[in-house]
Amino acid sequence: MKKQITISPSLLACDFLHLENEVKSATDAGVGMLHADVMDGVYVPNISFGFDIIKSVVSVSDVPVDAHLMIKRPYDYIDVLKNAGVYSVTVHSDFDSPEVVRETLEKIKASGMKAGLALRPMFGANTLKDCLDICDMILIMTVEPGFGGQSFMQDMLPKIRAVRTLADNTGREISIQVDGGIGEATIGDCAEAGADNFVIGTAFFKATDRAAAARNFKIAAESHR
Ligand code: DX5
Ligand code: ZN
């Protein structure tokens, strides 16, 4: 059975001056998840927001909050994310050695959260071989991580297909998330390739009617599977 389509607005593109309203507007629009991008200025050349902000978001969100950690030391913050009430935590495959990456994913799982592994554009599906058995989600970056509003990288589509096949072969339910430049023009191709969870920053928060946008994204994804 195919996993249901999830639209995950990325808070990076929201109006931070009105964070509570932005969270409510997203959940009222009927989305399935909220995506919180944490950047430390070291793993990526940008700094976003930290864990107190995420805790505040969780406290007013009707849907699960997913933390995408673009940071050098994710291990140190797993307890704090658990206490904040985060649903899932994704770390990047290259923030440290494969051993440390695995240890970090294991700690996320042991804390009772869902564990995700993210691949930057330069890393192929084979990067997953050491960790796929403990992942609940694979995040395929469709831009270089660090900034919202970039253009979708079309050449990531074969990787989505390859990861979908690897994930299906495990016999476990593994979600495939895509992140970067997702919108009406690109969501269908990603769904067709096997993605089921769509992170959407700019195209969601800049939409004049967010509920209609969320509906249209979902319809576009569903009609391409
Ligand atoms: C980029 C972040 C994304 C970003 C997506 O490093 O991981 O989640 O917010 O933004 P858009 O949808 O504008 O490309
Ligand atoms: Zn992200």
Side-chain angles (χ1 to χ4, degrees):
M1 208 183 78
K2 284 185 171 166
K3 273 190 85 61
Q4 71 170 56
I5 298 288
T6 301
I7 304 299
S8 305
S10 166
L11 294 169
L12 202 60
C14 84
D15 176 359
F16 292 126
L17 200 54
H18 304 286
L19 187 54
E20 179 171 1
N21 291 342
E22 292 290 77
V23 168
K24 293 227 159 95
S25 138
T27 59
D28 287 351
V31 304
M33 196 175 246
L34 286 179
H35 182 86
D37 288 299
V38 183
M39 304 179 185
D40 65 357
V42 181
Y43 178 74
V44 288
N46 192 12
I47 296 179
S48 57
F49 46 76
F51 307 109
D52 287 343
I53 303 277
I54 293 181
K55 191 174 182 177
S56 300
V57 166
V58 171
S59 74
V60 293
S61 175
D62 298 333
V63 298
V65 175
D66 167 44
H68 175 194
L69 304 185
M70 287 160 274
I71 63 178
K72 262 299 202 193
R73 301 175 64 95
Y75 190 93
D76 298 351
Y77 303 101
I78 294 169
D79 291 336
V80 108
L81 284 162
K82 175 65 185 172
N83 291 334
V86 163
Y87 173 77
S88 49
V89 179
T90 296
V91 299
H92 273 261
S93 69
D94 63 328
F95 77 82
D96 205 322
S97 68
E99 293 72 28
V100 177
V101 172
R102 188 173 176 99
E103 207 183 321
T104 305
L105 290 166
E106 279 167 354
K107 181 159 183 194
I108 296 167
K109 297 283 287 178
S111 309
M113 297 181 288
K114 300 284 184 199
L117 186 63
L119 299 179
R120 295 175 90 118
M122 69 180 290
F123 295 109
N126 66 329
T127 311
L128 300 173
K129 63 182 184 319
D130 297 327
C131 290
L132 191 60
D133 60 313
I134 50 168
C135 290
D136 300 297
M137 183 163 82
I138 305 301
L139 163 51
I140 296 166
M141 291 302 305
T142 43
V143 298
E144 281 299 342
F147 298 91
Q150 304 180 73
S151 299
F152 176 79
M153 296 168 72
Q154 201 74 27
D155 52 343
M156 293 298 109
L157 290 169
K159 182 158 75 184
I160 300 172
R161 273 188 203 100
V163 172
R164 180 80 268 167
T165 303
L166 284 179
D168 288 348
N169 289 344
T170 66
R172 293 171 43 241
E173 266 219 353
I174 299 176
S175 181
I176 312 271
Q177 185 177 60
V178 284
D179 183 4
I182 308 294
E184 278 205 54
T186 53
I187 193 168
D189 286 347
C190 293
E192 191 276 323
D196 56 82
N197 188 313
F198 303 88
V199 177
I200 308 180
T202 311
F204 177 80
F205 281 104
K206 301 289 178 261
T208 42
D209 183 341
R210 292 174 180 171
R215 249 190 334 269
N216 291 338
F217 293 142
K218 211 163 176 181
I219 292 168
E222 268 157 4
S223 65
H224 281 80
R225 305 180 98 186

Short mmCIF file of all heavy atoms in Angstrom, two decimals, residues 10 12 35-39 66 68-70 92 139 141 145 177 179-180 199, ligand 2:
data_model
loop_
_atom_site.label_atom_id
_atom_site.label_comp_id
_atom_site.label_asym_id
_atom_site.label_seq_id
_atom_site.Cartn_x
_atom_site.Cartn_y
_atom_site.Cartn_z
N SER A 10 7.45 24.49 5.14
CA SER A 10 8.70 24.82 5.82
C SER A 10 8.59 26.20 6.44
O SER A 10 8.42 27.21 5.74
CB SER A 10 9.86 24.80 4.83
OG SER A 10 10.97 25.44 5.44
N LEU A 12 10.66 28.12 7.48
CA LEU A 12 11.70 29.06 7.08
C LEU A 12 11.12 30.20 6.22
O LEU A 12 11.63 31.31 6.22
CB LEU A 12 12.75 28.30 6.26
CG LEU A 12 14.14 28.88 6.15
CD1 LEU A 12 14.78 29.04 7.52
CD2 LEU A 12 15.02 27.96 5.28
N HIS A 35 7.43 21.62 8.99
CA HIS A 35 8.86 21.33 8.83
C HIS A 35 9.67 22.50 9.41
O HIS A 35 9.50 23.65 9.02
CB HIS A 35 9.12 21.18 7.33
CG HIS A 35 10.51 20.83 6.94
ND1 HIS A 35 10.98 19.53 6.89
CD2 HIS A 35 11.55 21.60 6.52
CE1 HIS A 35 12.23 19.52 6.46
NE2 HIS A 35 12.61 20.77 6.24
N ALA A 36 10.55 22.16 10.38
CA ALA A 36 11.35 23.19 11.05
C ALA A 36 12.83 23.00 10.70
O ALA A 36 13.44 21.99 11.07
CB ALA A 36 11.14 23.10 12.55
N ASP A 37 13.38 23.95 9.97
CA ASP A 37 14.78 23.87 9.50
C ASP A 37 15.71 24.51 10.51
O ASP A 37 15.66 25.72 10.73
CB ASP A 37 14.91 24.64 8.18
CG ASP A 37 14.24 23.91 7.04
OD1 ASP A 37 14.65 22.79 6.73
OD2 ASP A 37 13.28 24.48 6.46
N VAL A 38 16.59 23.70 11.10
CA VAL A 38 17.55 24.23 12.07
C VAL A 38 18.92 24.31 11.39
O VAL A 38 19.42 23.30 10.89
CB VAL A 38 17.63 23.32 13.32
CG1 VAL A 38 18.58 23.93 14.35
CG2 VAL A 38 16.24 23.12 13.92
N MET A 39 19.49 25.51 11.35
CA MET A 39 20.79 25.72 10.69
C MET A 39 21.74 26.40 11.66
O MET A 39 21.34 27.36 12.33
CB MET A 39 20.61 26.62 9.47
CG MET A 39 19.60 26.11 8.47
SD MET A 39 19.45 27.27 7.12
CE MET A 39 18.12 26.52 6.18
N ASP A 66 8.26 18.33 12.41
CA ASP A 66 9.39 17.57 11.88
C ASP A 66 10.60 18.50 11.90
O ASP A 66 10.55 19.59 11.35
CB ASP A 66 8.96 17.20 10.44
CG ASP A 66 10.06 16.67 9.56
OD1 ASP A 66 10.84 15.83 10.04
OD2 ASP A 66 10.10 17.05 8.37
N HIS A 68 14.36 19.33 10.78
CA HIS A 68 15.40 19.04 9.79
C HIS A 68 16.67 19.73 10.28
O HIS A 68 16.79 20.96 10.22
CB HIS A 68 14.94 19.58 8.42
CG HIS A 68 15.97 19.47 7.35
ND1 HIS A 68 15.84 20.14 6.14
CD2 HIS A 68 17.13 18.77 7.26
CE1 HIS A 68 16.90 19.86 5.39
NE2 HIS A 68 17.68 19.03 6.04
N LEU A 69 17.61 18.92 10.80
CA LEU A 69 18.80 19.48 11.43
C LEU A 69 19.96 19.62 10.44
O LEU A 69 20.55 18.62 10.02
CB LEU A 69 19.24 18.61 12.62
CG LEU A 69 18.17 18.35 13.69
CD1 LEU A 69 18.79 17.58 14.86
CD2 LEU A 69 17.55 19.65 14.19
N MET A 70 20.26 20.86 10.09
CA MET A 70 21.42 21.14 9.24
C MET A 70 22.48 21.73 10.16
O MET A 70 22.81 22.92 10.10
CB MET A 70 21.02 22.12 8.12
CG MET A 70 20.16 21.45 7.06
SD MET A 70 19.22 22.63 6.09
CE MET A 70 17.79 22.80 7.14
N HIS A 92 21.72 14.87 8.56
CA HIS A 92 22.35 14.67 7.25
C HIS A 92 23.38 13.55 7.28
O HIS A 92 24.05 13.32 8.30
CB HIS A 92 22.98 15.99 6.76
CG HIS A 92 21.99 16.82 6.03
ND1 HIS A 92 21.90 16.85 4.66
CD2 HIS A 92 20.99 17.62 6.48
CE1 HIS A 92 20.90 17.65 4.30
NE2 HIS A 92 20.33 18.13 5.39
N LEU A 139 15.18 11.85 3.47
CA LEU A 139 14.96 13.18 2.90
C LEU A 139 15.92 13.39 1.74
O LEU A 139 17.15 13.36 1.93
CB LEU A 139 15.18 14.24 3.99
CG LEU A 139 15.39 15.70 3.55
CD1 LEU A 139 14.31 16.17 2.59
CD2 LEU A 139 15.43 16.61 4.76
N MET A 141 17.31 15.97 -0.66
CA MET A 141 17.38 17.41 -0.89
C MET A 141 17.34 17.66 -2.40
O MET A 141 18.13 17.07 -3.15
CB MET A 141 18.69 17.99 -0.33
CG MET A 141 18.82 18.00 1.18
SD MET A 141 17.55 18.91 2.08
CE MET A 141 17.61 20.55 1.35
N PRO A 145 21.25 22.43 0.69
CA PRO A 145 20.64 22.93 1.91
C PRO A 145 21.22 24.27 2.35
O PRO A 145 22.38 24.57 2.08
CB PRO A 145 20.97 21.84 2.93
CG PRO A 145 22.11 21.08 2.37
CD PRO A 145 22.00 21.18 0.88
N GLN A 177 10.86 11.88 1.65
CA GLN A 177 10.56 13.32 1.70
C GLN A 177 11.45 14.06 0.70
O GLN A 177 12.62 13.70 0.54
CB GLN A 177 10.84 13.82 3.12
CG GLN A 177 10.46 15.27 3.37
CD GLN A 177 10.71 15.65 4.84
OE1 GLN A 177 11.82 15.59 5.33
NE2 GLN A 177 9.66 16.06 5.53
N ASP A 179 12.71 18.09 -0.49
CA ASP A 179 12.81 19.41 0.13
C ASP A 179 13.66 20.32 -0.74
O ASP A 179 14.84 20.04 -0.97
CB ASP A 179 13.45 19.22 1.52
CG ASP A 179 13.56 20.50 2.33
OD1 ASP A 179 13.08 21.55 1.86
OD2 ASP A 179 14.14 20.44 3.43
N GLY A 180 13.04 21.41 -1.19
CA GLY A 180 13.76 22.42 -1.96
C GLY A 180 13.15 22.65 -3.33
O GLY A 180 13.16 21.74 -4.16
N VAL A 199 8.11 18.87 1.38
CA VAL A 199 8.41 20.09 2.13
C VAL A 199 8.23 21.27 1.17
O VAL A 199 8.82 21.27 0.09
CB VAL A 199 9.85 20.06 2.67
CG1 VAL A 199 10.19 21.37 3.38
CG2 VAL A 199 10.04 18.87 3.61
ZN ZN B 2 14.29 21.50 5.21
#
